[in-house]
Amino acid sequence: MSEERSHKSYRPLTVLTFRLNYLFSELNAVSYHFLNLVFHVVVCVVFLKVCKLFLDNRSSVVASLLFAVHPIHTEAVTGVVGRAELLSSIFFLAAFLSYTKSKGPDNTIVWTPIAVTVFLVAVATLCKEQGITVVGICCVYEVFIAQGYTLPVLLDTAVQILRGKGSIPYSMLQTLLKLIVLMFSTLLLVVVRVQVIQSQLPVFTRFDNPAAVSPSPARQLTFNYLLPVNAWLLLNPSELCCDWTMGTIPLVESLLDIRNVATLTFFCFLGSLIVFSLRYPGDSSKTVLMALCLIVLPFIPASNLFFPVGFVVAERVLYVPSMGFCILVAHGWKKLSNKSVLRKISWVCLAVVLFTHALKTLHRNWDWESEYTLFMSALKVNKNNAKLWNNVGHALENEKNFERALQFFIQATQVQPDDIGAHMNVGRTYKNLNKTKEAEESYMIAKSLMPQIIPGKKYAARVAPNHLNVYINLANLIRANESRLEEADQLYRQAISMRPDFKQAYISRGELLLKMNKPLKAKEAYLRALELDRTNADLWYNLAIVYIELKDPTEALKNFNRALELNPTHKLALFNSALLMQESGDARLRPEAKQRLLHYVKEEPQDANGYFNLGMLAMDDKKDMEAEAWMKKAISLQPNFRSALFNLALLYSQTAKELMALPVLEDLLGYYPDHTKGLILKGDILMNQKKDIVGAKMCFEKILELDPNNVQGKHNLCVVYFEERDLVKAEKCLVETLALAPHEEYIQRHLNIVRSKIASLSATEQSSLPADGTATVAAEGKKSSFQNLKGVKNEQKPTRTTVDNNKGHSKNKKQTEKNNMDKETPKKSTKEIKDIEKKRVAALKRLEEIERILNGE
């Protein structure tokens, strides 16, 4: 109600029925339409009872049947939002029926029906505002029907009282008392209603109701012409349209306009009926009077005569006035059918009217099958309404048929060249078609239609928030170009300068400032937007992102939590707050992070990222089986999920299931052949578990093709050369690796081992010892050196578990005890200490590497 765009339609009971529909069937349209149909049937039944107050039974049935099938009601009954008309009509008629019982014997007042009437009037008003007009009908009924006065009698009585020749009759005093009670209750309802809308009328644009902003006499002439237009729709509902705004009915700008004849004819006919009904006593005049009251009084709020409304003509607001029209028709038919000459013709005409109206109503319902069929049917009636062209375009746009949608949007700009929204639609569609240049040109045209700043002149101009979106859309378009970020920021600031309460401009500008690496300014923008709307969960979420950029995770988490307080199902807040908790390293936050991710995957069951991060949480908690299940779920939804594939393989390698990791790595490298960490992991498993030196060598060579300076890949290739007994090539490889990472102590140590082995072999060959004994020693020494190198090499491998490395070191220890290596002999006295140190260093390096891989992925 407080927002400017609000139509100030306070209809809580109507909304309540929608909530009940949603409770039982959510957004299944069938239940909504069925309930509308039930309400229409109830209205028809209650209307029949009202008709019987003024018509005989046969004529009452005719009036009710005509009302039931009249095509003008399609918008109110078939259109779900028309339920406001239906509900209000039920209580409107019930209030009137209750009031008719307020006259007791001897013209006494029965207060209970009056109290019930006041209550039902309030209920009708809470369904739709026009419900309050039943009070006027009750007043007319009391004076001219219940008391039997005519206008001449009332005038004569008033003249006698003013001349002092008589006093007010007691019956008239009772009537005045009842009318005062009714009017006072009405005034109270009006005061409450004005308070609800905060004493502000709704604001509409000139496109909604062009006559409302037109100068005199065009405004008065057009508004008066609209009365016969509505009457014609009741009399001949052959051309119905769901939207009569914009250029549907051209303005009547001159007294010489031929359409003024229709206005004059209408008022003459209406005036003659009013004179007949008020001047002459009798049942016929009373019937005509009540029919006129049902036509005129409920229509007054929509007539534009007292205050402007947001439409030119609306078929749904004729729902109640059509009751009076149906009574008039039934009354006229009764007069004709009572004449023997016209009796058969009257019955034939009645049958034709009811049949054709029913057929038209049935056909009209098919127009309401979808947005596209509805607006296309409207274009058959009226091609001068740009909103209809736009709405057909929107319907096609929703179906992703952008090419056809563009044609309708362009036609809208031709029908109404100054329609800012139509040019914005053209721009948006060009953008969807990736025609950036054309999109920018359309946005620029729309921007040129906005109120322009006149230097040195102050003036007030109301700018509709939806029109300001042209600045947002244009800025969003050009900010894709990194060189035009400042230009985009200028557009956001221009929108804010035109309307400082334009929340969306602050939000979009905050996003841009983050992109421009200005988090402090982005924070200011979001805080300003929060001053305008503190209940917007998206704003709190965006502010949390800013705090992440500012390296303040504590504040970021607070804002994520605030967003979730306002919207517990905010998907991005659930996901990113869970990641923030996970990254904090605080084990106490992991249970809550898990709950949020579980909530997220419930909201987004097809998003593999949710399951992947649940798997990462399980890995942090050492729940390997659970982690495996989540990773597999993520991969089943997204088979090429890079991080999930690698981390599942890593999980297998850490839990002594290296051979199960190989198929996963094959899938990973099938999708991403240049995945360096995957190649390292695969090479390690092939060499250490499968003993496939050739396969491992291919993996490490592939790494060096992708990145010649990859230290880990090159080092492991050196180890492969050692496995192949090519010590010279291994030495050269290690020298090159050491040049890439001169501070890595383990590479220098490995190089020393290789050189020691080369020297040992050279000395052995020169000594020419007996083949059997010395050769055995040489072979064992070679094996020992290889195992030492192999054990140290695995310090850098994330896939090697502590158990495997301990086995390797144990084997190295045994081989060293069996042989007398020249370089190793002086170290035998401290061998155990060295083994323990090597184990400790290897374990530390493995942990560091695993952390690097996890953080990188």
Side-chain angles (χ1 to χ4, degrees), residues 768-817:
S768 300
L769 292 174
D772 49 352
T774 309
T776 302
V777 173
E780 294 293 342
K782 182 177 181 180
K783 187 175 182 181
S784 174
S785 298
F786 161 68
Q787 293 292 351
N788 277 319
L789 180 60
K790 182 178 177 182
V792 179
K793 176 268 298 185
N794 284 325
E795 293 174 9
Q796 292 298 307
K797 301 304 293 173
T799 59
R800 293 288 288 174
T801 64
T802 304
V803 174
D804 287 339
N805 276 316
N806 284 341
K807 288 180 181 178
H809 284 297
S810 176
K811 187 174 181 179
N812 290 339
K813 178 180 177 181
K814 293 177 182 178
Q815 293 295 337
T816 306
E817 289 173 348

Side-chain angles (χ1 to χ4, degrees), residues 629-667:
W630 289 124
M631 292 295 181
K632 285 182 176 179
K633 177 67 175 177
I635 294 168
S636 69
L637 292 171
Q638 187 179 333
N640 64 340
F641 197 154
R642 177 186 176 113
S643 297
L645 287 166
F646 177 76
N647 281 282
L648 178 60
L650 184 64
L651 176 66
Y652 283 143
S653 70
Q654 291 175 340
T655 53
K657 300 177 182 177
E658 287 89 346
L659 297 182
M660 293 179 66
L662 278 178
V664 180
L665 288 169
E666 291 292 344
D667 291 339

Side-chain angles (χ1 to χ4, degrees), residues 24 46 76 151 221 233 275 336 392 400 631 648 665 783 816:
F24 289 106
V46 180
L151 188 60
L221 291 174
L233 287 175
V275 170
L336 292 175
V392 174
K400 307 299 182 185
M631 292 295 181
L648 178 60
L665 288 169
K783 187 175 182 181
T816 306

Side-chain angles (χ1 to χ4, degrees), residues 5 28 45-46 104 177 179 260 270 275 290 294 305 331-332 350 394 455 550 556 574 617 633 636 658 755 775 811 822:
R5 65 180 181 177
N28 181 7
V45 172
V46 180
L177 180 60
L179 296 181
N260 288 318
L270 182 64
V275 170
M290 293 311 300
L294 282 169
L305 297 178
H331 182 60
L350 176 64
H394 288 311
L550 292 171
L574 285 168
L617 268 178
K633 177 67 175 177
S636 69
E658 287 89 346
R755 285 175 172 171
K811 187 174 181 179
D822 292 340

Side-chain angles (χ1 to χ4, degrees), residues 81-133:
V81 74
R83 184 175 299 178
E85 312 289 340
L86 306 175
L87 284 173
S88 180
S89 298
I90 292 173
F91 296 108
F92 179 101
L93 295 175
F96 176 70
L97 286 174
S98 176
Y99 186 80
T100 59
K101 300 176 182 177
S102 64
K103 181 180 177 181
D106 301 324
N107 208 22
T108 57
I109 301 175
V110 183
W111 290 106
T112 301
I114 294 177
V116 172
T117 297
V118 172
F119 172 75
L120 291 173
V121 169
V123 174
T125 306
L126 292 175
C127 294
K128 191 180 179 184
E129 300 74 19
Q130 71 178 25
I132 202 170
T133 60

